[in-house]
């Protein structure tokens, strides 16, 4: 049986957010069935002053993409409309420059993945 690590990676995007990094990876099975993995990697300081990374991963299969996107958008809309002040919403809507959200198409990864 083929290990999930050996699946073909087609696309990857990295989003840095403080001590956390999020990876959105599109992969394909041998049968060209596509799925998305969403990984949260959080840097942790060890007692010996070195770092380790705690990872959490979600596998999202193509038949669930639309339901997932709809539920995520509903949750974001609820927070924006019901829980945040107008000032907080304005801050969320402010244009941002991201350096690390470019698609990844090969090469070596950082240690934080």
């Amino acid at each position: 049986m083929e290990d999930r690590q050996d699946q073909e990676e087609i696309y990857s995007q990295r989003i840095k957010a403080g001590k956390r990094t999020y990876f959105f990876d599109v992969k394909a099975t041998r049968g060209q069935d596509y799925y998305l993995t969403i990984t949260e990697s959080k840097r942790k300081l060890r007692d010996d002053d070195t770092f380790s990374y705690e990872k959490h991963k979600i596998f999202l299969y193509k038949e669930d993409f639309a339901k997932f996107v709809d539920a995520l958008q509903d949750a974001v809309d609820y927070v924006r409309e019901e829980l945040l002040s107008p000032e907080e919403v304005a801050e969320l809507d402010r244009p941002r420059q991201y350096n690390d959200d470019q698609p990844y198409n090969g090469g070596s990864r950082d240690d934080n993945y």
Side-chain angles (χ1 to χ4, degrees), residues 13-76:
Q13 186 169 10
R14 177 179 65 186
I15 306 294
K16 288 190 135 200
K19 290 183 179 182
R20 289 181 170 82
T21 302
Y22 300 98
F23 296 92
F24 296 83
D25 299 318
V26 176
K27 297 183 180 186
T29 64
R30 284 185 286 185
Q32 295 304 300
D33 198 16
Y34 301 102
Y35 63 98
L36 172 68
T37 61
I38 303 170
T39 306
E40 175 200 40
S41 179
K42 183 177 179 184
R43 189 167 80 164
K44 296 263 196 178
L45 181 62
R46 295 181 181 153
D47 291 337
D48 64 359
D49 291 334
T50 62
F51 290 100
S52 66
Y53 294 92
E54 180 179 292
K55 299 175 197 167
H56 300 94
K57 188 174 280 201
I58 296 172
F59 288 81
L60 185 62
Y61 299 94
K62 69 179 187 238
E63 60 269 17
D64 299 322
F65 286 0
K67 291 184 277 187
F68 185 88
V69 169
D70 288 346
L72 178 60
Q73 188 62 59
D74 287 347
V76 169

